[in-house]
């Protein structure tokens, strides 16, 4: 008689994950690129005033919101799959369009989940590093697209480097990927902070996806909502992986109301721009080196130990920021989310006190 053994996938057993997001309530959170100011309270009250018993009791009206979103993007629903945060969509693209041991190419440093999902499914994640001067040479990306590559992941703009691609650079990369039949995923989580988009490729060509989120400029990270845009056959494959009713009614209601109130979105953009200009001017005036052409975050090279500054900001000022090691010529530096001016002033005051 064979006695059974409990099974655990060794890839999951050995997977490195960080679960540190639950004790952040009382802090000024400038560590995960959320909007610390959030949506106006009167707008939230207005949206919630429409919530009734049926709204909560019934499965969400996913089709209706997908139509609203398709209309907003100038496409149709066959090009869109809603996901419970764009992190979910990224996972499904990796799962469906690569094989065990398959080669996935991505730039580093970047959003960590690309690597986590690749490892989760036993894929071979190949990293293309930035230059010492924090620029990205697209020739290095093109070189990494080998015959056995299955997926290329780009970010427009990249988190945390804040770099972007010109039309010409992007065209060259896409051409190389097409020649080798490599699917491309472009993560546009920080769209709106940087308006240039490659979504038309996803809507008009095959084997290119764009993921977007409502967590960043739309200020809805707590609701969890994102989408994958792509060609209809590809989108169907992503949809097959979704859990039933994967996006919740509150998230879609908030997103629909923001889309239908362009003034709300514009005011979020204006406040962000004011905060960003203020911080950049202040860094310049005080001789700080920084990097971040686009996105709602910035790398700052500190004069003293960046890790100590992060620790003191947390314990003494209740401000959360991140430090990143080995960032080219910056070494270990800070990554700070950009929000409206009052929060940038609060951060700056603390930085002046600790970075000396
Ligand atoms: C580049 C990038 N992609 C995706 C995400 C995930 O966003 P969400 O799952 O909230 O849509 C983030 C979050 O920080 C990000 O920085």
């Amino acid at each position: 008689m064979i006695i059974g053994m409990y099974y655990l996938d060794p890839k999951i057993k050995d997977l490195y994950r960080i679960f540190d997001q639950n004790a952040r309530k009382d802090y000024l959170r400038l560590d995960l690129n959320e909007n610390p100011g959030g949506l106006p309270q009167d707008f939230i009250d207005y949206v919630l005033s429409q919530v009734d018993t049926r709204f909560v009791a019934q499965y969400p009206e996913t089709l209706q919101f997908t139509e609203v979103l398709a209309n907003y993007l100038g496409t149709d629903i066959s090009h869109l799959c809603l996901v419970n945060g764009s992190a979910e969509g990224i996972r499904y693209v990796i799962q469906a369009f690569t094989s065990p041991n398959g080669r996935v190419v991505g730039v580093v440093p970047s959003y960590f989940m690309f690597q986590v999902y690749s490892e989760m499914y036993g894929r071979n994640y190949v990293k293309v590093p930035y230059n010492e001067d924090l620029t990205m040479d697209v020739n290095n990306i093109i070189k990494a697209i080998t015959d056995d590559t299955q997926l290329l992941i780009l970010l427009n703009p990249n988190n945390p480097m804040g770099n972007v691609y010109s039309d010409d650079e992007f065209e060259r990369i896409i051409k190389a990927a097409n020649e080798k039949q490599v699917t491309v995923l472009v993560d546009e989580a920080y769209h709106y902070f940087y308006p240039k988009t490659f979504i038309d490729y996803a809507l008009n060509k095959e084997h290119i996806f764009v993921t977007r989120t409502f967590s960043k400029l739309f200020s809805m990270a707590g609701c969890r909502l994102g989408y994958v845009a792509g060609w209809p056959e590809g989108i169907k494959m992503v949809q097959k992986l979704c859990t039933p009713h994967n996006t919740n009614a509150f998230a879609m209601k908030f997103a629909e109301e923001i889309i239908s109130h362009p003034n709300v979105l514009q005011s979020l953009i204006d406040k962000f721009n004011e905060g960003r200009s203020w911080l950049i001017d202040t860094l310049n005036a005080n001789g700080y080196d920084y990097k971040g052409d686009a996105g709602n975050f910035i790398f700052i090279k500190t004069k003293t130990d960046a890790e100590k500054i992060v620790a003191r900001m947390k314990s003494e000022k209740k401000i959360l920021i991140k430090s990143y090691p080995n960032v080219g010529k910056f070494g270990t530096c800070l990554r700070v989310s950009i929000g409206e001016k009052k929060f940038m002033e609060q951060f700056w005051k603390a930085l002046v006190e600790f970075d000396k």
Side-chain angles (χ1 to χ4, degrees), residues 52-72:
D52 61 12
T53 306
R54 281 182 65 191
F55 182 91
V56 179
Q58 295 173 343
Y59 284 115
E61 293 282 344
T62 308
L63 179 61
Q64 187 213 322
F65 175 67
T66 315
E67 277 166 352
V68 169
L69 182 63
N71 195 28
Y72 178 63

Side-chain angles (χ1 to χ4, degrees), residues 32 85-87 90 111 155 159 187 189-190 213 215-216 224:
L32 291 181
S86 60
I90 292 162
Y111 181 52
L155 296 88
N159 166 26
D187 181 328
Y190 298 95
T213 181
S215 301
K216 306 300 177 183
R224 310 301 296 126

Side-chain angles (χ1 to χ4, degrees), residues 31-34 83-90 110-114 117 154-160 187-190 211-216 220-222 224-227 296-297 322 335:
D31 57 336
L32 291 181
N33 304 336
E34 301 146 293
V83 281
N84 190 20
S86 60
E88 189 192 23
I90 292 162
S110 88
Y111 181 52
F112 198 52
M113 291 310 291
F114 304 128
Y117 290 139
L154 299 174
L155 296 88
N156 173 52
N158 186 14
N159 166 26
D187 181 328
E188 290 197 349
Y190 298 95
T211 50
R212 291 225 186 127
T213 181
F214 288 91
S215 301
K216 306 300 177 183
M220 288 175 41
R224 310 301 296 126
L225 185 64
Y227 57 95
N296 66 339
F297 45 84
K322 260 190 177 176
R335 192 200 66 185

Side-chain angles (χ1 to χ4, degrees), residues 34-55:
E34 301 146 293
N35 176 1
L39 289 160
Q41 187 61 47
D42 58 351
F43 179 76
I44 298 208
D45 294 342
Y46 157 74
V47 178
L48 288 180
S49 72
Q50 300 172 49
V51 171
D52 61 12
T53 306
R54 281 182 65 191
F55 182 91

Side-chain angles (χ1 to χ4, degrees), residues 118-131:
S118 297
E119 285 169 8
M120 184 183 284
Y121 295 117
R123 275 50 164 170
N124 174 19
Y125 188 73
V126 177
K127 302 169 184 172
V128 181
Y130 277 77
N131 298 328

